[in-house]
Amino acid sequence: MIIRLSKALAVCAVALYASLVVIGNITDYDTNFALIRHVLLMDTIFPEATIKYRAIESPTAHNVSYIILIILQTLTAILCWIGGIRLLANLKNTAANFNRKKKIAIAGLTLGFLTWQVVYMSLGREWFGMWMSEWNSGAEAFQVYTTILLVLIYLVHRDRDRNRERDEMK
């Protein structure tokens, strides 16, 4: 039971983090938007970089990109909250039932991993050269998506009923 509780709480911890990110992005839109704007403009990467043709100069595209990011983070938070609460509600059910209740949490964690890995690392750092900029948030993104991935790996490990575990140990 403690392992199931641990898994459920780990999912809720990711949900809390994503929720706080969303709240920060919405309530401090302009400050956090500056990161997206500078990354897409590529105006702070090395002057001699030859990838500046990738820059997106449209303010509309900057806002749409940021809104999409907020939506992805919001969906991550919602799915993880629903998934974590469903797991908490099913702690005492059979292992088969508990394993079935993991689907929404798995979806939320997967979306969170993809959001931070694809948006920040693949697109931001690599495509738009964020690694060359003072606006580089790659280390933070790496910590986030690694944490999410570890929770996902922990969660998908199949739970078993105690009686079955005792029988297998004999």
Side-chain angles (χ1 to χ4, degrees):
M1 172 99 111
I2 191 73
I3 292 174
R4 290 184 188 182
L5 178 61
S6 170
K7 289 178 179 184
L9 292 176
V11 172
C12 289
V14 173
L16 175 62
Y17 176 79
S19 297
L20 294 174
V21 169
V22 169
I23 290 167
N25 284 342
I26 292 171
T27 61
D28 194 12
Y29 188 93
D30 292 334
T31 300
N32 295 304
F33 173 72
L35 168 72
I36 302 300
R37 186 175 156 278
H38 284 293
V39 168
L40 295 178
L41 282 173
M42 301 176 74
D43 60 347
T44 60
I45 67 171
F46 299 157
E48 66 277 1
T50 60
I51 62 169
K52 289 185 181 183
Y53 68 91
R54 300 174 184 171
I56 297 174
E57 296 182 8
S58 165
T60 301
H62 300 164
N63 279 287
V64 169
S65 298
Y66 190 44
I67 291 167
I68 290 170
L69 176 61
I70 293 170
I71 290 169
L72 292 171
Q73 293 166 336
T74 301
L75 289 173
T76 297
I78 291 168
L79 290 170
C80 286
W81 278 124
I82 293 169
I85 291 167
R86 285 183 73 172
L87 293 174
L88 287 169
N90 287 280
L91 291 176
K92 294 181 180 180
N93 281 334
T94 65
N97 187 47
F98 187 79
N99 287 324
R100 278 192 299 276
K101 298 299 181 183
K102 293 178 180 180
K103 290 177 184 172
I104 293 176
I106 290 170
L109 294 169
T110 301
L111 180 59
F113 169 79
L114 292 172
T115 297
W116 271 271
Q117 201 287 326
V118 172
V119 173
Y120 286 97
M121 298 301 284
S122 298
L123 296 176
R125 277 184 56 82
E126 291 307 314
W127 184 255
F128 290 105
M130 186 172 68
W131 66 270
M132 294 182 255
S133 171
E134 65 192 69
W135 292 92
N136 182 6
S137 62
E140 294 83 2
F142 177 78
Q143 291 171 347
V144 173
Y145 80 72
T146 300
T147 299
I148 293 172
L149 185 59
L150 289 172
V151 172
L152 180 59
I153 291 167
Y154 180 46
L155 178 64
V156 298
H157 181 76
R158 297 195 62 76
D159 288 81
R160 295 191 249 174
D161 291 316
R162 278 194 258 173
N163 293 339
R164 184 174 169 193
E165 289 176 12
R166 274 190 239 129
D167 291 344
E168 289 177 2
M169 293 176 89
K170 290 180 183 179

